[in-house]
Amino acid sequence: MKQWQYFIEKQAFGVCSKIGEKLGIATSVIRMYFIYASFLTFGSPLVLYLAIAFWMNVRNYVRRGKACRETSL
């Protein structure tokens, strides 16, 4: 079960994990809030989740680009 959970966390952008690290809240609690909010608001938190995932991906891409440019100088 832990292997499955690790696979899902790694493949699901890491948004809940990152939020949990920043706020000091357990990742499972944040996931449950996303799930409950999605049911109550007919899925609108999924848009927020995907926007955060996109932003995290862009930020990582920019950081990798800067690191590559600094090493080539």
Side-chain angles (χ1 to χ4, degrees), residues 35-70:
I35 291 168
Y36 293 149
S38 294
F39 282 126
L40 293 174
T41 60
F42 302 109
S44 62
L46 292 175
V47 174
L48 176 66
Y49 183 90
L50 292 174
I52 293 170
F54 175 76
W55 181 253
M56 286 174 51
N57 195 15
V58 167
R59 202 167 87 190
N60 289 336
Y61 179 76
V62 169
R63 284 183 182 168
R64 274 188 260 134
K66 285 182 182 179
C68 289
R69 280 184 258 142
E70 289 174 359

Side-chain angles (χ1 to χ4, degrees), residues 17-46:
S17 301
K18 191 71 166 182
I19 292 171
E21 288 174 10
K22 294 282 185 180
L23 298 177
I25 301 172
T27 305
S28 59
V29 172
I30 294 172
R31 280 193 195 103
M32 291 307 292
Y33 281 125
F34 265 114
I35 291 168
Y36 293 149
S38 294
F39 282 126
L40 293 174
T41 60
F42 302 109
S44 62
L46 292 175

